[in-house]
Amino acid sequence: METKKKISLNDIIGAGSGIVLVLILVLSCIFGGMGTRAGVSNSEIPADAQSLVGYAEGRNGTIKVKVIASEDTIYQVQVLKNSETDGIGTPAMDIVPRRIYEEQSIAVDAMAGATISSEAIKEAVSNALEGGGLDPYKFGGVKVAVSTVAQKVETGTHVTLMTASDWAEQYPDIYASYMRNSENSEVTDYLTDYPMLKILYEDFGFSKFYSSARGHFYDVKDLTETGRPHAMANCFTCKTANFTAMVNELGDSVYSRAFEDVMRDVNEPISCYNCHANKPGTITVTHSYLIDGVGDDFESIDAATLACGQCHVEYYFDPDSKATALPHSDIDSMNPDDILAFFNEIGYVDYTNPRTGVKQIKVQHPELETFLSVGSQHRSKYTCADCHMGEATSENGTVYKSHYLTSPLNNETLIKSECSKCHTDLVSEVKQLQADVEKRTNEVGNTLVDLTEKLATAVNSGKYTDAQLDEVRSLARDAQFYWDFVFVENSEGAHNSALTYQCLDKAEALATKALSKLG
């Protein structure tokens, strides 16, 4: 006869503890990435407050926050998702939101030992506010680093261009560092590395000849030896100080001159004049289209960033005057969405695909827009020069700004003195990011190739109406714009990984939608 086991109080407690443990584990899986909600109770939130979500990249992945706020008050802050290291980055999920709420400011101190996680939370909160149309700068947020305000070039002053060699004796170390740019002589043939470009840029000059630029020292040489034709002088934009000075002296009519007519007067690549206008030590924006392109935000962007942004920017040639122009008028309109909307509104076309009829936009090199757009974790702290023009010391001990332009990954001194504050292994982190972005870019690019081929087949099939084809063409145009915005941006995600992935996701979604309409 089986004897029933007597259940003791300890057994009951043990079983209850086990259930509680399982429940805790389940809840941990569900809510483990969340931080404690900081702020007032839900009943204290006014009806006109907005509930906003923002994102930023932490050490181990994307951090997602929820912010409930009005124009002048932050009511709640909570981290909804994170992948930070347990016990190292995770405590910041509670501490930083609480600091932001209590101080009603994004400019709070980072948590010791969790700097990257803390800064990501602050950036995500700023992005949430900005995305909801609220001004994060009222809460101590800094949009863009600015310590020095640039000068604006004086036009029509009969300036005599001073070449880089004219300054060699007075500034020997800076001149020597500038001349080191001749070391950047490697050329990559993009059409060999990315065969998809022959289809995506079909019948446009970039589908016939597309090699990487070698930098300032070779600008004129690369331009004149390219296999792409140059009908007008506007192709000299950002290739030579001579052309920049000529435009400033004679006006926009220079842009529509014959290429060969201007070529006779060119003897200098991008050099001192472009950033200093014959005034060493003073940063001057000499490309007036950038002055127009940032509008009232001119003094809200550091001079060093503007100097680089004169050329590392998305531009187009005005259909009427042929002058170089930018598709934005301030920092807020620099983002890809607004730029695409601008191009679509004016019906701008760089080339038309001969087989599909898609009126394409060819993006240039939007480093400035990418760096200054929402999602950039460094725009509020650093300038372009901080990362790409390291400090150097002359033989007599004088510290100067090196004019040898290089990746921060190649600057061990910078990495040790500055980058290591937030990154344990910057080089490995960036290389991994760039590899991931490269893979994703190729995947989306291949989807666009598939769309191009299927659309070309659809055009020839006679099965679709013009209205149906035009709907697909519109989707294809927008999809390739977002993809191209990433492909031609030279940091491969390093300047703004959040924006990079957003663009690729939008490109893929638009392309997929277009493909679905073709059955």
Side-chain angles (χ1 to χ4, degrees):
M1 183 175 178
E2 185 176 342
T3 303
K4 291 184 178 180
K5 181 180 178 182
K6 185 177 181 181
I7 300 176
S8 68
L9 179 61
N10 288 337
D11 290 330
I12 295 174
I13 294 173
S17 299
I19 294 172
V20 172
L21 180 59
V22 170
L23 182 60
I24 290 173
L25 290 173
V26 171
L27 291 174
S28 295
C29 291
I30 298 174
F31 301 108
M34 299 179 65
T36 303
R37 185 176 66 196
V40 301
S41 64
N42 291 336
S43 61
E44 297 178 83
I45 299 173
D48 61 345
Q50 295 187 62
S51 180
L52 308 168
V53 174
Y55 304 84
E57 290 301 305
R59 176 178 289 280
N60 299 333
T62 302
I63 290 177
K64 177 181 179 182
V65 305
K66 182 174 79 171
V67 182
I68 298 180
S70 61
E71 287 189 0
D72 54 10
T73 305
I74 295 175
Y75 296 101
Q76 286 183 4
V77 181
Q78 182 179 14
V79 175
L80 297 180
K81 177 184 176 182
N82 80 92
S83 303
E84 303 304 88
T85 305
D86 189 36
I88 299 176
T90 53
M93 305 304 122
D94 296 323
I95 293 173
V96 175
R98 187 169 67 249
R99 289 177 179 175
I100 292 173
Y101 166 70
E102 290 175 349
E103 299 184 28
Q104 288 292 296
S105 173
I106 304 170
V108 297
D109 291 337
M111 179 186 150
T115 303
I116 294 179
S117 301
S118 300
E119 293 299 330
I121 295 168
K122 292 158 60 177
E123 184 71 22
V125 170
S126 179
N127 291 343
L129 294 169
E130 190 167 11
L134 301 180
D135 189 351
Y137 322 113
K138 289 183 178 180
F139 301 102
V142 178
K143 183 178 288 189
V144 177
V146 52
S147 59
T148 303
V149 175
Q151 300 294 309
K152 297 180 181 180
V153 68
E154 296 181 32
T155 58
T157 56
H158 305 286
V159 65
T160 299
L161 175 68
M162 297 187 69
T163 66
S165 58
D166 291 334
W167 300 106
E169 185 175 351
Q170 187 173 353
Y171 301 98
D173 295 316
I174 292 177
Y175 177 74
S177 68
Y178 164 78
M179 293 302 291
R180 279 195 65 197
N181 289 300
S182 63
E183 298 173 10
N184 301 325
S185 58
E186 183 179 353
V187 175
T188 298
D189 183 353
Y190 290 136
L191 296 181
T192 298
D193 291 351
Y194 304 96
M196 68 179 71
L197 298 181
K198 296 178 182 179
I199 295 174
L200 299 181
Y201 299 152
E202 189 169 349
D203 209 36
F204 195 47
F206 286 91
S207 70
K208 300 176 177 63
F209 187 96
Y210 191 10
S211 293
S212 61
R214 292 177 290 176
H216 297 185
F217 190 85
Y218 296 99
D219 278 337
V220 174
K221 185 177 179 65
D222 285 341
L223 177 65
T224 54
E225 292 183 357
T226 181
R228 298 191 297 271
H230 304 295
M232 286 181 284
N234 55 13
C235 292
F236 280 112
T237 299
C238 281
K239 300 298 188 294
T240 163
N242 298 108
F243 184 72
T244 303
M246 197 180 299
V247 170
N248 288 335
E249 177 60 29
L250 302 175
D252 286 353
S253 62
V254 177
Y255 286 109
S256 59
R257 287 188 179 183
F259 183 87
E260 295 300 329
D261 289 347
V262 172
M263 181 64 206
R264 289 191 289 267
D265 296 322
V266 171
N267 61 9
E268 181 89 339
I270 291 290
S271 65
C272 309
Y273 175 83
N274 291 91
C275 298
H276 299 288
N278 292 348
K279 300 175 183 177
T282 299
I283 296 179
T284 302
V285 174
T286 57
H287 299 67
S288 57
Y289 55 77
L290 180 65
I291 298 173
D292 296 335
V294 298
D296 292 338
D297 285 330
F298 185 88
E299 294 186 0
S300 300
I301 306 172
D302 194 86
T305 295
L306 286 176
C308 298
Q310 296 183 106
C311 297
H312 294 268
V313 69
E314 158 64 355
Y315 68 88
Y316 70 104
F317 295 138
D318 183 270
D320 297 321
S321 68
K322 309 305 178 186
T324 302
L326 304 187
H328 46 72
S329 56
D330 53 24
I331 293 176
D332 290 337
S333 61
M334 282 184 175
N335 65 82
D337 294 341
D338 286 344
I339 292 173
L340 176 59
F342 170 83
F343 282 138
N344 285 341
E345 182 178 350
I346 67 173
Y348 184 79
V349 180
D350 277 306
Y351 67 103
T352 300
N353 186 293
R355 292 188 297 135
T356 65
V358 176
K359 299 181 184 302
Q360 304 281 18
I361 303 167
K362 177 66 186 76
V363 185
Q364 304 307 321
H365 26 62
E367 282 83 57
L368 181 68
E369 291 87 353
T370 300
F371 179 60
L372 294 185
S373 284
V374 173
S376 169
Q377 289 185 273
H378 297 114
R379 67 174 184 168
S380 63
K381 307 178 190 72
Y382 301 106
T383 70
C384 301
D386 289 333
C387 297
H388 295 281
M389 298 175 66
E391 290 188 342
T393 305
S394 64
E395 292 182 358
N396 64 8
T398 301
V399 177
Y400 63 94
K401 207 70 168 172
S402 173
H403 283 53
Y404 173 55
L405 308 173
T406 184
S407 165
L409 303 185
N410 298 327
N411 190 333
E412 293 184 6
T413 302
L414 175 67
I415 292 174
K416 185 178 295 185
S417 63
E418 190 66 30
C419 306
S420 62
K421 294 176 182 177
C422 295
H423 299 273
T424 54
D425 188 349
L426 178 71
V427 175
S428 295
E429 290 175 33
V430 173
K431 291 295 184 184
Q432 184 60 57
L433 168 64
Q434 292 176 328
D436 293 342
V437 167
E438 174 82 355
K439 180 181 177 183
R440 182 88 174 105
T441 302
N442 285 329
E443 290 171 350
V444 178
N446 287 328
T447 301
L448 289 170
V449 169
D450 185 35
L451 172 58
T452 300
E453 297 297 350
K454 289 181 177 176
L455 179 53
T457 299
V459 169
N460 291 327
S461 71
K463 296 179 180 179
Y464 299 86
T465 66
D466 288 342
Q468 288 173 321
L469 291 173
D470 285 343
E471 185 178 5
V472 176
R473 287 172 178 138
S474 178
L475 291 168
R477 166 184 163 96
D478 291 357
Q480 187 158 319
F481 168 84
Y482 281 114
W483 175 85
D484 210 23
F485 202 92
V486 171
F487 182 78
V488 298
E489 203 278 327
N490 286 296
S491 75
E492 297 178 285
H495 285 153
N496 190 337
S497 60
L499 182 72
T500 297
Y501 283 121
Q502 287 170 16
C503 284
L504 292 174
D505 289 346
K506 289 176 182 178
E508 183 178 49
L510 289 164
T512 300
K513 184 177 181 180
L515 284 166
S516 71
K517 292 183 178 297
L518 295 175

